[in-house]
Amino acid sequence: MAESHAPRQAPRQVPGPARRLAEGVRAYRLIAGMWVRSTMAYRASFAMTTFGNFAATFLDFVAIMLMFSRVDALGGYPLPEVAFLYGLSATSFGLADLVIGSMDRLGRRVRDGTLDTLLVRPAPVLAQVAADRFALRRLGRVTQGALVLGWSLTRVDIHWTADRLLLMPVMVVSGCGIFCAVFVAGAAFQFVAQDASEVQNAFTYGGTTLLQYPPTVFAKELVRGVTFVLPLAFVNWLPATYVLGRPYPLGLPEWTAFTPPLVAVACGALAGLAWRAGLRSYRSTGS
């Protein structure tokens, strides 16, 4: 019998973490780019919606300014320092909302079964959900937060040192990473609850509103909760109190002000595990 010389089929290669990440970034970039091109086809509408987003978020800071028309300090913090906290929180959250804010739409996809269309595409589901209906108008929120932060830096009394200067970009980037992790974890919860977008918003939009005020105005139990349970305090409270030269209400050591990058990485890893668990538990509607 003639021996077969047919080439053996190579075993299927399982993509490694780096390759999966590259595929996810590429898919996200392509989908987001499609939505950006769609948005820029109507430039006047884009300009108006972006300005509307800017104006709506600016009303939050107007409320704080009205509050300071009656008081000189809030929890011991004058207006420039509160504006500093506000600007850091709003800018970090605005970047996260711009990049991954569409995650709160996952519950709707789970309910109506349209998530199935994402599962059969040759692209990571997380990247597809994050880039879905990418809204460039959310730049209005980022711009508003950055302007308030810039204004506060011209008014606040800070003894600038090398470590304080280094903390400024670290706070914004790490805060964005922490909020992104909260978005992903909230989306993973929607695999189970299905109609939990409001619960997710309580920790995302509600979290950024909480961080816009000094930690000294809240009960210590709440401050402990957002420090050790849901570590939103690492977005701005902990590093900002160090920059401002103020003691943290819980008496934590100063070096914790430099841990937001580590907290962001840890939160991202835990959110990734939650996302994978939620995706594995997903069962189609069958319709």
Side-chain angles (χ1 to χ4, degrees):
M1 179 180 291
E3 186 177 354
S4 174
H5 296 285
R8 296 176 116 186
Q9 186 176 5
R12 184 179 178 183
Q13 297 293 325
V14 178
R19 184 176 176 183
R20 288 198 299 268
L21 177 61
E23 291 175 351
V25 171
R26 180 176 181 273
Y28 179 92
R29 180 174 56 83
L30 292 174
I31 298 171
M34 176 191 69
W35 285 106
V36 169
R37 289 191 296 271
S38 174
T39 299
M40 297 310 292
Y42 304 93
R43 294 176 184 255
S45 175
F46 164 70
M48 288 187 291
T49 54
T50 302
F51 178 76
N53 189 271
F54 174 92
T57 53
F58 185 68
L59 291 177
D60 293 337
F61 188 64
V62 170
I64 294 177
M65 294 178 69
L66 291 175
M67 195 182 308
F68 273 92
S69 67
R70 300 296 181 182
V71 297
D72 296 327
L74 186 63
Y77 284 64
L79 177 58
E81 293 185 352
V82 174
F84 183 67
L85 295 176
Y86 177 98
L88 288 171
S89 173
T91 304
S92 297
F93 177 78
L95 289 172
D97 190 38
L98 173 68
V99 172
I100 206 170
S102 298
M103 296 297 295
D104 59 3
R105 297 174 53 85
L106 180 67
R108 189 181 309 170
R109 284 191 172 276
V110 171
R111 291 194 305 273
D112 60 23
T114 57
L115 183 63
D116 295 357
T117 62
L118 306 185
L119 294 172
V120 298
R121 293 174 182 170
V125 179
L126 178 59
Q128 295 183 68
V129 176
D132 184 36
R133 297 187 179 276
F134 183 87
L136 198 60
R137 68 178 183 276
R138 291 170 178 162
L139 281 173
R141 179 187 291 273
V142 181
T143 304
Q144 185 264 337
L147 288 176
V148 173
L149 179 59
W151 177 85
S152 70
L153 290 175
T154 65
R155 297 291 190 273
V156 73
D157 184 19
I158 298 176
H159 175 62
W160 289 108
T161 57
D163 53 356
R164 286 185 169 90
L165 286 171
L166 177 63
L167 267 180
M168 292 302 298
V170 168
M171 277 190 285
V172 174
V173 175
S174 301
C176 174
I178 293 172
F179 275 123
C180 283
V182 175
F183 270 112
V184 174
F189 177 69
Q190 293 192 51
F191 279 114
V192 179
Q194 297 186 8
D195 191 12
S197 59
E198 294 304 321
V199 175
Q200 179 177 348
N201 292 342
F203 293 100
T204 52
Y205 292 91
T208 186
T209 302
L210 175 76
L211 297 177
Q212 291 169 1
Y213 295 91
T216 50
V217 304
F218 300 105
K220 284 193 175 181
E221 289 74 15
L222 178 60
V223 177
R224 290 192 184 98
V226 295
T227 302
F228 302 112
V229 181
L230 184 66
L232 293 176
F234 291 86
V235 173
N236 66 344
W237 278 357
L238 269 169
T241 51
Y242 176 81
V243 172
L244 295 173
R246 289 181 170 272
Y248 193 62
L250 299 180
L252 295 176
E254 286 188 349
W255 59 262
T256 55
F258 297 91
T259 58
L262 299 177
V263 174
V265 171
C267 289
L270 292 174
L273 292 175
W275 172 262
R276 293 183 65 181
L279 193 60
R280 284 196 299 266
S281 69
Y282 172 70
R283 298 294 181 267
S284 174
T285 60
S287 57

